[in-house]
Amino acid sequence: MALSIATVWTRCVTVLFVFSAMWGIALSINRYSIPEEMQEGSVVANLATDLGLDLRTLITRKAKLDIIHRNKYLDINKETGDLFILEKIDREYICSSKTTSCFLKMDVIFENPIRIFNIELEIMDINDNAPVFRRETMHLDISESTAAGERFSLTNAVDADVGANSIKTYYLSESKSFTIDIQTGSDGSKYVDLVLNSNLDREEQAVHHLILTAVDGGVPARSGTASIIVRVLDINDNAPFFNQPIYAINVTENSPIGTLVMTLNATDLDEGTNAEMIYSYTLYTSEKTQEKFSLNSNTGEIKVKDVIDFEESHSFDIYIQARDQGSNSLSGDCKIMVFITDLNDNYPEVTIKSFKSTLKEDVAIGTLIAVISISDRDSGDNGEVELTLNQQTSLPFVLNKSSEDYFALHVSEPLDRETIPRYEITFIVTDKGTPRLSDNETITLEILDVNDNSPIFPQSFYTIHVVENNVPGALLTSLSAFDPDLHENQYLVYFIMEKEIINTSMSMLFSINPENGNLYALKTFDFEREREFLFHIEARDSGVPPLNSNVTVHIIILDQNDNTPLIVSPWRAQGSVIEEVIPRSTEKGFLVAKVIAIDADSLQNSRVTYQLLQISDSSLFSLDQYNGEIRTTRMFSYRDPRHQRLVVVAKDNGDPALSATVTIKISTVEHMVTPFSETTEVPLEYDLFTDLNLYLVIGLGSVSFLLLITILVVIVLKCQKPKPMKMPPAMNMNLNSLNRNSVISRNSIISQRSSTIADSTLISSDAYWYSLFLAETRKGKVVVRQPIVPKGAGYFVSSIPRSTGPTETSDSRASTLQVQ
């Protein structure tokens, strides 16, 4: 219900009086500075003197101190007026260590009358914190081949103090091999690097223990230390060597095969693989000697390998080389002279007569592999021999005796190359004499591959996330399968199993490299149209017959912030300014306008917030960042200009954020006579024949008349010519011109709208509703609510009109929301 002018003026005067009385409560700010950690009871300042107050007023006016902090660090002595320390103040606890200035804000409140004094107490830092390293012990591994001058980053120390009390420098304990280099960052922080002065020798010193000390700039200075342990990594710079260059050994004739002649023990000063040695014969060792003696390449054990007959040879010369396993291997040599002691004995013999060195893994059980013969020159029990296989591992073979002193080796179990690709088969022949003598022979059997394994993917289901707006041809992932077979049986070919989605083949959307399984996207995906894909990829080997397996691929399209917010209310033509008219007598909190923006993205990217980009008077209006409501924060005064200009920006929550702006021009009038109910939507009577409406009717009538004439002409031409023909270009231009004129006629009518705002409510992510406000006249209004679901839109926006007070407009305005 409208108020009279006298009543409105009385209320305005009352509000202005109360506002002026409250304005003078808080007048000034007093600032003091004290160091932290002051003793309790220490006096900061005399507030009565500084504030110019009588000591008696401290009690009579109930002076109290209100500190804007959870702890009460200070209090007022009402008898002396002193501001004193009630609790020790720790600057590092109150303020962040990164800030150089620290203030404790408080208010001194007096009653009768109420008066507030603002006090800011600056807490000055003292050097009460020592530097501390994040890690007390730092470990570094440095190769002894590292060149001098190499730098190694160290963990820096931190100091809770600031300014001059922060870390000033670092010191390193005395070392001939290392120094430190101190760097200063852009923020003044100190960083330290460990610098190698000279080459390291692990054999001389394997570990270096250093102490790093951080010192701050306080007075007196404080420090913290950390231990640095440098372990020197070995390189192969020492060759193996034997205890003596020549060894002399006595061996009894006919010593059993496997008898230990001696064990070599070379020494290498290096460590790790650089000290691991392999023993071998040199070229100076004859083949006959190598046949008589075996050498264990790892342990250096020299054993009897064959029958040693004193009558054949009285001595043997063995030349041994020890070579380490370093990257650049080094070696050392020695000579062993073996002297034979005469005995009378003979060892049995084993001979491989025939042998198949390769077998396919799918051979039948019972397949012949080798024929072996055994013999012994002795007689009687000493000449009786037996043949066995090595029993260290279970072998899928069996020995069958075919004739006297002949054995056949057959397959006894199925073979699997993927499990064991090679067999070392040792035949052991032993006589029955006392002591028993024996000999052995070893053969190597290679197992050939057949295509008996299908390709194997590491996992049966792949989920791949792809961000929309990807580059066509971008690599999505690599789907590599494994085939344990060999050669062509393990050569794999990848392809996409055809599947159509909405008449689109998967091979048109994705491509896979047939050789390595790299999966590529052939097009740019749009999250607003395509969300996911599910298809299969098959891997097929090249064996005969070929074997295959497949895997399921799930492509998930991720949203990207690629849609700018669209301001749908208040609507304006491109580049135009929204005009709002409100009475100057509006109260505080009056709803001036409401900005509504939508975003086609999803989830966080579509969350829109509002901010004032430009405002002519920041004390007069406020903007709700979530619902876009623009309200008055106080009443208008006679000093306020009649016209105000606001620029509102609508920004989404994406990264980077996208935004749109709208400019609102607010005009104030002294009187608004037309009431506008908050809930009514019933059209009222209004005057259609104002000057502006008259021009609008004439313009629309002219356009309608021209359109009707054009339609009639087209109909006549159609009737005259039986064959269909295209409309002449001139006619198209006329129709386009008519359409443009129609749009210009509608949008060129500028009006001033009352503060009727549409509340927007998010309904779903498929479309949106918007409200179209038309024709507000001097005598009434017409509200037209038009639902539209644009193609591809991401929201439903429903609009509900609302009035906040009496309104008056002098003209009408038409608004049109255009959605592409």
Side-chain angles (χ1 to χ4, degrees):
M1 185 174 63
L3 299 175
S4 63
I5 297 177
T7 304
V8 173
W9 175 256
T10 303
R11 292 184 178 181
C12 292
V13 171
T14 304
V15 173
L16 288 173
F17 178 78
V18 174
F19 183 81
S20 300
M22 295 296 293
W23 185 266
I25 292 178
L27 296 177
S28 61
I29 298 176
N30 289 57
R31 294 184 177 178
Y32 303 96
S33 297
I34 63 170
E36 63 175 330
E37 303 291 345
M38 286 186 64
Q39 296 295 325
E40 298 177 0
S42 302
V43 176
V44 177
N46 190 286
L47 291 181
T49 302
D50 294 345
L51 301 178
L53 300 175
D54 189 3
L55 291 176
R56 291 173 295 178
T57 63
L58 298 178
I59 299 176
T60 58
R61 294 181 63 183
K62 299 180 181 180
K64 64 179 181 178
L65 185 65
D66 185 14
I67 300 178
I68 308 175
H69 201 274
R70 61 182 180 181
N71 295 338
K72 188 174 182 181
Y73 293 103
L74 299 99
D75 204 350
I76 301 175
N77 189 331
K78 297 181 180 179
E79 296 180 359
T80 62
D82 292 333
L83 179 66
F84 65 95
I85 302 296
L86 190 64
E87 182 182 344
K88 281 188 177 182
I89 302 175
D90 187 357
R91 181 189 181 281
E92 288 73 24
Y93 175 76
I94 296 177
C95 300
S96 171
S97 61
K98 296 181 179 180
T99 57
T100 56
S101 58
C102 179
F103 290 92
L104 187 63
K105 296 183 180 181
M106 62 196 79
D107 295 330
V108 180
I109 304 173
F110 293 89
E111 298 181 358
N112 301 321
I114 295 176
R115 194 174 185 185
I116 300 174
F117 294 90
N118 302 118
I119 295 177
E120 290 185 355
L121 184 62
E122 182 180 8
I123 311 301
M124 308 297 292
D125 182 57
I126 64 174
N127 192 24
D128 59 340
N129 292 279
V132 177
F133 284 88
R134 295 185 178 92
R135 289 163 45 188
E136 295 181 356
T137 303
M138 291 174 275
H139 296 270
L140 293 177
D141 292 337
I142 303 176
S143 173
E144 62 179 335
S145 63
T146 303
E150 188 72 20
R151 307 169 68 91
F152 303 91
S153 298
L154 301 176
T155 302
N156 61 308
V158 293
D159 195 331
D161 296 320
V162 297
N165 297 325
S166 61
I167 295 175
K168 182 179 180 181
T169 187
Y170 292 87
Y171 297 100
L172 184 68
S173 59
E174 183 178 356
S175 174
K176 297 179 180 179
S177 303
F178 296 95
T179 59
I180 58 173
D181 184 20
I182 303 173
Q183 304 288 335
T184 303
S186 59
D187 58 349
S189 301
K190 302 290 185 180
Y191 304 94
V192 60
D193 290 339
L194 186 67
V195 181
L196 180 63
N197 280 343
S198 59
N199 294 332
L200 301 176
D201 189 355
R202 189 202 64 81
E203 288 74 26
E204 180 180 343
Q205 184 176 356
V207 180
H208 295 261
H209 295 275
L210 307 173
I211 300 297
L212 181 63
T213 304
V215 182
D216 61 22
V219 179
R222 292 175 176 266
S223 63
T225 61
S227 176
I228 303 174
I229 300 177
V230 179
R231 187 167 65 95
V232 182
L233 302 181
D234 182 56
I235 63 172
N236 192 25
D237 56 348
N238 292 278
F241 61 91
F242 293 91
N243 297 333
Q244 56 192 72
I246 300 175
Y247 297 89
I249 301 296
N250 294 321
V251 177
T252 303
E253 177 192 15
N254 297 329
S255 294
I257 295 176
T259 301
L260 180 64
V261 178
M262 69 172 299
T263 299
L264 298 172
N265 186 16
T267 303
D268 195 316
L269 298 179
D270 295 321
E271 66 175 1
T273 57
N274 297 327
E276 295 177 359
M277 288 171 287
I278 292 180
Y279 299 90
S280 63
Y281 295 114
T282 68
L283 297 177
Y284 299 106
T285 304
S286 64
E287 293 183 1
K288 182 179 179 181
T289 302
Q290 295 184 31
E291 292 175 356
K292 297 296 182 181
F293 301 96
S294 64
L295 172 64
N296 190 314
S297 60
N298 295 321
T299 62
E301 294 180 347
I302 300 176
K303 297 181 179 180
V304 175
K305 182 181 179 182
D306 200 356
V307 176
I308 300 176
D309 191 353
F310 178 82
E311 288 70 27
E312 293 182 3
S313 179
H314 292 57
S315 64
F316 298 91
D317 292 334
I318 305 175
Y319 297 90
I320 303 296
Q321 180 186 77
R323 182 174 294 274
D324 60 31
Q325 297 297 297
S327 57
N328 297 318
S329 60
L330 303 175
S331 63
D333 301 328
C334 74
K335 178 182 178 181
I336 303 173
M337 294 188 300
V338 180
F339 299 98
I340 307 302
T341 303
D342 186 29
L343 286 178
N344 188 20
D345 201 358
N346 293 285
Y347 286 85
E349 297 178 356
V350 56
T351 305
I352 307 299
K353 295 298 183 178
S354 66
F355 168 53
K356 291 183 179 179
S357 61
T358 59
L359 278 180
K360 288 188 176 181
E361 60 178 323
D362 61 347
V363 297
I365 295 177
T367 301
L368 178 63
I369 301 174
V371 176
I372 307 100
S373 68
I374 56 175
S375 63
D376 195 319
R377 290 182 294 174
D378 294 327
S379 61
D381 292 338
N382 296 330
E384 295 183 7
V385 292
E386 60 181 13
L387 181 64
T388 58
L389 297 177
N390 56 321
Q391 301 299 322
Q392 296 180 356
T393 58
S394 178
L395 297 176
F397 311 111
V398 62
L399 279 172
N400 296 318
K401 190 171 183 180
S402 59
S403 61
E404 188 67 27
D405 297 334
Y406 280 88
F407 290 84
L409 182 67
H410 296 89
V411 177
S412 62
E413 297 177 11
L415 303 179
D416 187 5
R417 189 207 62 82
E418 287 72 33
T419 303
I420 302 177
R422 173 187 296 180
Y423 290 93
E424 298 288 338
I425 307 173
T426 302
F427 301 96
I428 302 174
V429 59
T430 308
D431 63 19
K432 296 182 180 180
T434 304
R436 296 173 66 92
L437 302 178
S438 64
D439 194 7
N440 63 77
E441 186 71 24
T442 300
I443 62 173
T444 300
L445 179 62
E446 297 284 347
I447 306 300
L448 301 181
D449 183 55
V450 295
N451 191 26
D452 58 346
N453 291 278
S454 299
I456 301 173
F457 284 94
Q459 55 194 76
S460 61
F461 190 90
Y462 286 85
T463 299
I464 303 171
H465 295 86
V466 181
V467 180
E468 66 171 331
N469 301 321
N470 59 291
V471 178
L475 176 64
L476 302 183
T477 188
S478 181
L479 305 172
S480 298
F482 169 74
D483 194 319
D485 293 324
L486 287 179
H487 308 304
E488 67 275 0
N489 296 329
Q490 71 171 174
Y491 295 154
L492 303 181
V493 178
Y494 303 88
F495 58 90
I496 298 175
M497 300 179 68
E498 287 299 332
K499 177 182 179 182
E500 289 191 358
I501 299 180
I502 315 179
N503 297 327
T504 301
S505 174
M506 275 298 156
S507 59
M508 299 178 63
L509 302 177
F510 303 96
S511 173
I512 189 168
N513 189 315
E515 296 182 356
N516 56 26
N518 289 344
L519 184 64
Y520 301 90
L522 296 182
K523 61 167 287 187
T524 299
F525 297 108
D526 188 356
F527 176 82
E528 286 71 35
R529 297 188 179 186
E530 304 144 328
R531 298 296 174 89
E532 60 181 4
F533 301 94
L534 190 68
F535 55 93
H536 299 281
I537 290 178
E538 182 174 301
R540 180 180 299 167
D541 61 27
S542 301
V544 178
L547 302 178
N548 63 74
S549 63
N550 61 71
V551 67
T552 302
V553 178
H554 186 199
I555 305 292
I556 299 177
I557 308 302
L558 302 180
D559 184 39
Q560 191 178 48
N561 191 27
D562 57 346
N563 290 280
T564 303
L566 175 65
I567 297 177
V568 299
S569 178
W571 185 89
R572 84 288 186 204
Q574 183 67 27
S576 62
V577 177
I578 303 301
E579 295 186 2
E580 301 286 347
V581 178
I582 62 174
R584 292 185 66 85
S585 60
T586 55
E587 300 289 339
K588 175 183 178 181
F590 180 80
L591 182 60
V592 177
K594 182 169 182 177
V595 179
I596 300 174
I598 61 174
D599 195 307
D601 292 318
S602 65
L603 302 178
Q604 296 296 328
N605 294 331
S606 63
R607 184 182 298 174
V608 179
T609 57
Y610 306 90
Q611 296 178 1
L612 285 171
L613 187 61
Q614 295 181 11
I615 183 171
S616 54
D617 189 347
S618 59
S619 66
L620 191 55
F621 301 99
S622 66
L623 171 65
D624 192 301
Q625 65 173 339
Y626 299 108
N627 60 24
E629 292 183 353
I630 302 175
R631 295 182 180 269
T632 58
T633 57
R634 61 177 177 84
M635 294 186 63
F636 286 91
S637 65
Y638 67 92
R639 296 188 182 91
D640 295 325
R642 297 182 62 84
H643 301 285
Q644 303 286 338
R645 184 175 179 271
L646 286 74
V647 178
V648 179
V649 58
K651 184 186 297 183
D652 61 25
N653 198 36
D655 185 16
L658 303 178
S659 62
T661 61
V662 60
T663 302
I664 301 176
K665 180 181 178 183
I666 301 175
S667 302
T668 58
V669 297
E670 294 296 336
H671 304 288
M672 302 288 287
V673 297
T674 302
F676 184 68
S677 176
E678 181 176 358
T679 59
T680 182
E681 292 185 3
V682 179
L684 302 178
E685 296 181 357
Y686 52 87
D687 186 6
L688 291 175
F689 295 100
T690 61
D691 295 339
L692 184 59
N693 289 338
L694 181 59
Y695 297 149
L696 177 61
V697 171
I698 294 173
L700 293 177
S702 301
V703 173
S704 301
F705 177 75
L706 292 175
L707 181 60
L708 180 59
I709 294 299
T710 303
I711 294 173
L712 291 176
V713 171
V714 172
I715 293 173
V716 172
L717 293 175
K718 289 289 185 179
C719 294
Q720 290 178 354
K721 297 182 179 181
K723 294 184 178 180
M725 63 177 293
K726 295 184 179 179
M727 187 177 295
M731 188 65 68
N732 287 332
M733 294 176 61
N734 291 334
L735 289 178
N736 294 334
S737 176
L738 288 175
N739 292 333
R740 287 196 299 270
N741 292 335
S742 176
V743 174
I744 293 172
S745 299
R746 291 199 305 270
N747 294 337
S748 61
I749 301 173
I750 302 175
S751 63
Q752 296 176 338
R753 181 171 59 85
S754 67
S755 302
T756 303
I757 308 301
D759 291 334
S760 297
T761 305
L762 184 64
I763 301 301
S764 72
S765 61
D766 296 321
Y768 64 87
W769 293 70
Y770 70 91
S771 296
L772 184 65
F773 292 86
L774 296 176
E776 297 177 81
T777 64
R778 294 189 180 92
K779 294 184 178 181
K781 71 179 184 69
V782 175
V783 178
V784 179
R785 296 211 285 180
Q786 179 180 0
I788 289 183
V789 184
K791 181 179 181 182
Y795 297 92
F796 282 121
V797 177
S798 65
S799 301
I800 303 175
R802 182 177 61 188
S803 175
T804 57
T807 61
E808 178 184 16
T809 60
S810 58
D811 299 304
S812 63
R813 180 181 61 184
S815 300
T816 304
L817 178 62
Q818 298 178 354
V819 179
Q820 296 181 356

